[in-house]
Amino acid sequence: MGDIMAGLRTIGCGRAPWAFTALGLALLPLPLAAQTAERDVVNPPLLPAEEAGLPAAQKLVMSATAAATAAHERVLDLDIVYTDGQIFNPATGVYDKVHLRSYQGTKVDPTAPYVSPTIEAVPGDTIRVNLNNELPADPGCGPMTGHMPNKPHCFNGTNLHAHGLWVNPSGNGDNVLLSINPGVSFQYEYNIPGDHPSGTFWYHTHRHGSTALQVSSGMAGALIIRSDRLPTPLAHGDVDTLVKTMPERVLVMQQIQYACREPRMNGVLGPIKLNKDKTYRCDPGDVGAIEGYDLFAPGQWAQSGRYTTLNGVVLPTFHATQGKIERWRMIHAGVRDTISLTLVKMKPDVELKGKLSEAASVKFIKQSCTGAVLPYNLIAADGLTMGAAQQTKLATFQPGYRFDALIVFPEAGNYCLIDASSPGAGSVNGDTPGPRLMGIVSVAPGTAVPDIGAYVTDALVARAKQAMLPEMKAAIVADLQAGLKLTRFTPHPDIADNEVTGQQELTFFIDTSDKNNTRFEVGNSLKVGDVQPYDPDRIDRKLILGGVDEWTMQSQFASHPFHIHVNPFQIVSIIDPTGKDVSLPGSVDNSGGVLDPQYAGLKGVWKDTLWIKTLAPTDPTGIYTIKVRTRYQRYIGEFVLHCHILDHEDQGMMQNVAVVLGDGKIALKAAEGAKPMEDMAH
């Protein structure tokens, strides 16, 4: 996939777009328009498919057998360090210096340290990640912090989560109940089952107490499972086989919310430097950092004036060709703010000029991004292929969401990639932020596309006729021609009513009754009185291996994205406050508009992260009721569910969950009482 090209990006030691004078020493920033050619972006670097090459000390046996199996392993070294770099600030037209925690190591691009390399695997592979914590000692990370687990702490403690993977959550599997503290190395081992779905997943740090702070620094990357299993009369296949010939983009969307501060006083972190309009300011000589949770207060991202990065690049330019269908794998790897993604044709002969403040961005969009809104087809949610492609002009990404889309540009020219305004109840902060420019797609002349729907259908039908097994071609072609149905490519069978063996209830709640101690809580019923903040020593739910639960979920006071590790869930219904199921395809209101664009068409879809919406506190009766179903298959052990607004998770909106055997017995550790995280990996 190549290296990320230099541009308006996060950079470590790479070159910046400077104009060199005849004297050879004077460095002047080019105007924004002149930098356009410097900010082309490609996919993040790919971890190559190499043999494991384990050092002798890590090999279990010294034999030919071990060497032969190494070809099915991928090894990634991730060194967690402070990295000095720069991030371009369009509002000022110059780079801000930053000092952020980041991943370094295998295939990390040193010129783009704040986005991680893509890990690829196929079902049956083993992924080994050597996580080496080289951050300085952290006085805020010790046994005593276990007494206040929901106060952000252990900023230099870390661990790793393979978000969305169906793998073992215990031991050195996808275990987020460990703290890999400064000076400690630990090897995570993800054994990908041979029947694992292909799809778009991601990995990120997940140490309770520091998750938001580290993810906001860019410690995240794409994790893609690929497979070439064709549908057969007895088994579904992978959608990869249907779209294999299409160019592919991997887009890791991050919100790196660095700030420059006034000096510390009495050891206390100084206030954030602000401009008159309340956007963040970095003066000459300042170095931006992410060291405090005041950055994550509601509305701070929109106020900050920072821009979402795409593969480490601020305001990137993508290059595409008219009529060429592309697969976009899009990952919301940010901490807490909603992204509503839309593509709009730009006026011809328009270019970015000068500084681009938030107000200037809104003005540019209104004046220049005035053409047709581009429809595109979503084919997978959270990495899992949907039963039918869904055409949309706007996809709403909550933190942790992924969507795979088939995108084709019908005309040559430039297109604006925009984070559109979100309705108040559809955004994390309950506000209605203005549109923000995210990037430009430059489309070269190619093949005209008179009708996008028909064009995509014809292309997939042609591919099915060429690639599918003879006994499956007719059925797959008929499905595609009947509304782009993908029923032979879905990874999980539907959960029928008679399969359900148990019930679970969940409520998210923020208790603000004590102004000095806001409590972020989760409950095991729909009653607010039953909610509790996270306790690392408590197991909140015991789920039976082989069981199938129906979950009923609500959020009270504010909306939250629900995420559970290991086992995905299927959406049964999303009932709005008026009693309408807004998850039905084509759900419309009385005026004919879509009832809720982020929910329409999700009925029956499999996901691992889902927005639990409420109109409260502005409307106490505005609670949505969401039902999902999930199977507990193959793996036992402890893991977590939580709100994926990561600062909410760090402050207590999380539960420990254990999948147990039928007799309810769990690991000895749980029976004896778990030790605080801080004690686990010194």
Side-chain angles (χ1 to χ4, degrees), residues 32 90-92 307 315 352-358 360-361 364 437:
L32 190 61
T92 61
Y307 276 71
L315 288 178
L352 294 173
K353 293 182 178 180
K355 300 174 183 178
L356 201 67
S357 64
E358 182 174 2
S361 176
F364 179 85
L437 188 67

Side-chain angles (χ1 to χ4, degrees), residues 246-512:
M246 296 177 180
E248 183 174 288
R249 297 187 191 272
V250 178
L251 297 183
V252 181
M253 301 181 286
Q254 295 171 292
Q255 296 161 333
I256 300 178
Q257 197 170 333
Y258 65 93
C260 299
R261 295 179 180 269
E262 302 293 350
R264 287 178 177 263
M265 293 188 66
N266 300 320
V268 177
L269 205 62
I272 298 168
K273 289 186 175 182
L274 300 176
N275 296 305
K276 290 182 179 180
D277 62 359
K278 305 300 182 181
T279 56
Y280 291 5
R281 184 183 86 248
C282 288
D283 296 323
D286 284 348
V287 178
I290 298 175
E291 296 294 346
Y293 273 63
D294 54 341
L295 293 169
F296 308 122
Q300 279 291 301
W301 172 255
Q303 175 183 306
S304 71
R306 302 291 181 239
Y307 276 71
T308 298
T309 60
L310 293 153
N311 297 348
V313 185
V314 176
L315 288 178
T317 294
F318 301 95
H319 292 276
T321 301
Q322 177 189 17
K324 184 169 287 187
I325 303 171
E326 299 181 349
R327 179 184 189 175
W328 287 27
R329 297 179 183 264
M330 298 175 283
I331 301 167
H332 188 335
V335 169
R336 64 161 15 249
D337 279 76
T338 307
I339 296 172
S340 301
L341 202 67
T342 189
L343 284 153
V344 182
K345 186 72 187 301
M346 186 188 293
K347 283 183 177 179
D349 303 321
V350 171
E351 61 180 5
L352 294 173
K353 293 182 178 180
K355 300 174 183 178
L356 201 67
S357 64
E358 182 174 2
S361 176
V362 173
K363 182 178 180 180
F364 179 85
I365 290 170
K366 288 182 177 179
Q367 293 182 346
S368 304
C369 307
T370 57
V373 180
L374 183 73
Y376 53 93
N377 287 282
L378 304 178
I379 62 169
D382 291 352
L384 303 175
T385 303
M386 299 189 294
Q390 298 184 13
Q391 190 174 96
T392 186
K393 294 182 178 179
L394 183 146
T396 300
F397 292 78
Q398 303 295 354
Y401 274 31
R402 288 93 66 212
F403 281 114
D404 286 30
L406 300 183
I407 294 180
V408 59
F409 297 94
E411 300 175 354
N414 289 334
Y415 290 76
C416 302
L417 183 65
I418 297 171
D419 179 0
S421 299
S422 298
S427 71
V428 165
N429 297 311
D431 54 10
T432 53
R436 294 293 298 274
L437 188 67
M438 295 179 67
I440 303 295
V441 183
S442 177
V443 181
T447 304
V449 181
D451 181 277
I452 288 176
Y455 189 86
V456 171
T457 299
D458 290 346
L460 293 179
V461 166
R463 170 65 183 172
K465 290 179 178 178
Q466 182 267 326
M468 297 298 114
L469 296 173
E471 61 269 31
M472 298 301 298
K473 285 182 184 179
I476 292 171
V477 167
D479 276 351
L480 293 170
Q481 292 175 334
L484 285 180
K485 291 181 181 178
L486 302 170
T487 52
R488 267 69 174 185
F489 301 94
T490 56
H492 301 293
D494 292 342
I495 299 178
D497 294 348
N498 61 6
E499 193 180 344
V500 175
T501 58
Q503 301 288 330
Q504 297 285 328
E505 292 184 339
L506 177 142
T507 295
F508 286 132
F509 185 66
I510 302 177
D511 185 351
T512 59

Side-chain angles (χ1 to χ4, degrees), residues 505-550:
E505 292 184 339
L506 177 142
T507 295
F508 286 132
F509 185 66
I510 302 177
D511 185 351
T512 59
S513 58
D514 182 350
K515 293 182 179 179
N516 297 318
N517 183 29
T518 299
R519 289 161 58 98
F520 294 83
E521 301 174 316
V522 187
N524 284 20
S525 75
L526 302 183
K527 300 176 182 178
V528 170
D530 291 343
V531 295
Q532 300 179 86
Y534 178 66
D535 182 345
D537 295 339
R538 183 185 68 232
I539 294 177
D540 296 279
R541 299 175 194 266
K542 294 181 182 179
L543 311 171
I544 305 300
L545 182 68
V548 179
D549 279 346
E550 180 173 90

Side-chain angles (χ1 to χ4, degrees), residues 179 190 270 287 339 413 574 656:
S179 182
Y190 305 127
V287 178
I339 296 172
I574 301 174
N656 285 329

Side-chain angles (χ1 to χ4, degrees), residues 118-168:
T118 297
I119 299 175
E120 285 191 1
V122 299
D125 275 356
T126 293
I127 302 295
R128 298 183 187 274
V129 180
N130 295 317
L131 198 64
N132 308 308
N133 190 343
E134 299 178 5
L135 293 170
D138 186 350
C141 187
M144 291 303 294
T145 57
H147 297 291
M148 299 182 67
N150 300 318
K151 179 180 179 180
H153 63 287
C154 261
F155 292 172
N156 287 353
T158 193
N159 59 29
L160 198 64
H161 173 42
H163 185 125
L165 283 196
W166 180 37
V167 294
N168 181 9

